[in-house]
Amino acid sequence: MPHVLRDHEYAALGRVAAQASLLDAVVEQFLSDAITHDVEVGLRAIRGMQFEAKAIMLADLVTLRLEGTEHPEAILPHLEEARRLMHDRNEFLHGLWEFDADANLGVRKRVRKTGLVRTRAVSADDMNRTAQRLGELAEDLNWMHHGAAFDLGILEMESPGTWVRVTPKRGLDNR
């Protein structure tokens, strides 16, 4: 199979992959903390989950655990946009790249639900914009995670202005 993508398109594709990975890590940590203050338990509970499932579960837990605060109103639209952009990421990374008769670059992907093949015109600029927005969402959600940490019960005040993570309790010696 001939190489369809040129260096600048591969670079843009790499940026999409890197920023999507960052977003996935931020959502995973936020979800772990929304489940429990014990990081190890939270991460074990979500091990192997796909991004879509993590984002849906986080949205559900934010709605449940942060009800009555300003957090759900801010967080939920970001999670919905993240889900949409991760679908774009999947098309870019897992699709078949091709040129049409007019030499326009496109990515072809089979839609699982219908079995139909869909081709979408894509440029390096499109991928760069997607990568930039994925990075912005990761940064925003990371700040929102920190902002919700007290309300989620993962931080406690040690002294005025100093917050520490709640210590996990395990075993019979740590009740």
Side-chain angles (χ1 to χ4, degrees):
M1 172 185 280
H3 294 286
V4 174
L5 298 179
R6 296 160 288 203
D7 287 345
H8 68 283
E9 292 153 345
Y10 276 117
L13 191 58
R15 282 190 279 282
V16 168
Q19 295 302 317
S21 180
L22 174 62
L23 178 60
D24 185 55
V26 167
V27 167
E28 185 171 278
Q29 185 60 57
F30 198 163
L31 176 57
S32 172
D33 285 341
I35 293 170
T36 177
H37 66 280
D38 188 330
V39 175
E40 190 174 334
V41 170
L43 291 175
R44 285 183 185 196
I46 62 177
R47 184 178 21 215
M49 287 177 70
Q50 299 296 316
F51 182 84
E52 179 91 2
K54 289 183 222 176
I56 290 170
M57 183 184 280
L58 179 55
D60 289 345
L61 289 174
V62 161
T63 300
L64 176 69
R65 299 211 45 222
L66 299 173
E67 181 182 14
T69 70
E70 74 280 2
H71 301 298
E73 187 177 312
I75 295 167
L76 297 178
H78 281 74
L79 288 173
E80 188 58 39
E81 184 180 1
R83 288 174 58 202
R84 284 193 309 273
L85 286 174
M86 289 299 259
H87 283 284
D88 289 346
R89 172 254 183 221
N90 289 342
E91 274 189 21
F92 297 159
L93 291 179
H94 302 294
L96 295 173
W97 289 91
E98 61 189 13
F99 286 104
D100 65 14
D102 297 323
N104 297 313
L105 184 64
V107 63
R108 187 167 38 117
K109 181 117 167 82
R110 184 178 62 82
V111 180
R112 286 187 179 161
K113 291 181 181 177
T114 64
L116 299 174
V117 174
R118 179 176 84 109
T119 301
R120 170 182 170 188
V122 179
S123 69
D125 288 340
D126 295 332
M127 289 186 282
N128 282 323
R129 280 190 293 276
T130 298
Q132 180 176 347
R133 188 62 189 140
L134 285 165
E136 292 167 354
L137 285 170
E139 185 176 338
D140 290 349
L141 284 166
N142 192 46
W143 280 110
M144 291 174 189
H145 173 210
H146 293 307
F150 175 75
D151 293 328
L152 286 170
I154 61 173
L155 295 179
E156 58 189 5
M157 189 181 335
E158 184 177 67
S159 62
T162 304
W163 296 85
V164 295
R165 191 164 188 93
V166 173
T167 303
K169 295 177 179 22
R170 295 199 185 101
L172 296 175
D173 296 332
N174 221 353
R175 291 184 202 182

